[in-house]
Amino acid sequence: MLQDTIAAISTAAQDGAISIIRISGEEAIPIADALLDRSLKEKDSHTVTYGHIIDPLTKEAVDEVLVSLFRAPRTYTREDIVEISCHGGRFITRQILQLVLAQGARLARPGEFTQRAFLSGRIDLTQAEAVNDMIQANTKENAQLAMAGIRGSVRKLLDPLIEALLDMIANIEVNIDYPEYEDIEEITQEKLLPKARAWIREIEGILQRADSGQIIREGIQTAIIGRPNVGKSSLLNALLEEEKAIVTDIAGTTRDIVEGHIRLEGGLQLNLIDTAGIRTTQDIIEQKGIEKSYQIMEGAQLVILVLDGSVPLQEEDRRLLAESADKTRIVVYNKADLARPIEEGIAISAAKGDIQPLLDEIHRLFDHHRIALSEPSLANERQIALMRQAHASMASAISALEQGLELELAQIDLQEAYTSLKEILGEVHREDLIDTLFANFCLGK
Ligand code: GDP
Ligand code: ZN
């Protein structure tokens, strides 16, 4: 099974003050002993030993190291783990790894230490995913979400839901198995329905919070639209120059072809979507321009429609207003410096960098997603997709109950909902999916 001992460089693949080579498995301690000028055999768990790595062939000292010893089962993988902290040059680190591999360890696959932690039952799948999220976290918010995940926030969220499901399932089962037994409370469609409805409402709340989490983690898909010369490019520049805005990457801002990320004060991030082709110039057939803008708006979580406030509305403005009406949208009247003050609507002057009313509106529309995050939620698409499946199963069960159909039918749906939730935690899983998931981790984790 997991008999082989694995090893990898667990620190970043560049020169640094210290690198760590991690070894996990039954042979971890013997392998370290074969390379060290002292033995770990008598050392206690969770201790650090000073020593030297000696090349067994040449007998030469290779590096001065600190070796941390963690004895099974109180370790990350629940196996024996040895971590060699060496001087952090790439050459010396790789040389020590080679010596470890020559002693019989196998090079770990990406994420394999965490995969072992999962397979040994030390952490569930959502915690394993959170470990990866923590490594990739690039903001305080993301790091906090990942930390909650590592501490098992998803399991805590799901446990009561799983329990409630089991309760319903058990009730039905007893009634099916012992229909004539008098001491058992008879379960009817009417008795189950309120429980099922309460359950599905919980799931809906969780899914909503998951959407919020995604908006905070991944940013708001934002399209800046408007006819030519209303000031879209100027607005983009103003957003970029906004004092606290951090441009993470912006590609080619010519001709309104813009894709990039702007982080606003407070952690909200705008992912600007390419709005090329929105202009209906002579060289683009008008209809095509409209179709393209429609597509862009489809994918957007926020549409910023820029109008020129210094001139009357034009036909194309009206069309864009109509097209974007069902989106989360902010209509800004630009060139306020040239226009008479407006009574309603958001007036800005992109050219003068006067865009605070727009920023305020963005915060008004999206800040609640941050508040929602103080409650635990799901962390990624995989978890959300399974939660949606559970939701669909329960919706189907409710419909069966409402129609007064056989309880056995609802029972099948409840079982499916149960399986979906268990799959979120990785307690039922397909081996190949698990391998793919851990392959996305970095090496040595
Ligand atoms: P786009 O075609 O929608 O990207 O519009 P641009 O950003 O290229 O702006 C078109 C013209 O309007 C340029 O000459 C800008 O300097 C001007 N402009 C943009 N915003 C403002 C503004 O707030 N006030 C004034 N007076 N001119 C503006
Ligand atoms: Zn432009």
Side-chain angles (χ1 to χ4, degrees), residues 126-127 129-130 133 144-150 152-158 161 202-217 369-380 383-384 387 424-425:
T126 66
Q127 291 173 296
E129 286 173 317
D133 291 344
Q144 281 171 342
L145 284 172
M147 189 61 229
I150 289 171
S153 60
V154 177
R155 172 181 293 281
K156 281 180 212 132
L157 190 66
L158 296 192
L161 290 162
E202 284 285 322
I203 298 280
E204 277 157 10
I206 292 170
L207 283 171
Q208 253 170 30
R209 292 206 299 279
D211 283 346
S212 295
Q214 221 145 18
I215 279 184
I216 296 302
R217 265 193 311 277
H369 292 294
R370 301 178 52 220
I371 293 152
L373 283 188
S374 50
E375 285 182 64
S377 177
L378 303 174
N380 56 43
Q383 297 173 13
I384 293 169
M387 191 58 111
I424 293 178
L425 298 172

Side-chain angles (χ1 to χ4, degrees), residues 78-95:
R78 286 200 166 151
E79 305 168 334
D80 285 343
I81 289 185
V82 173
E83 289 181 359
I84 303 172
S85 304
C86 63
H87 287 106
R90 263 171 291 189
F91 174 78
I92 190 65
T93 309
R94 283 199 206 132
Q95 193 185 353

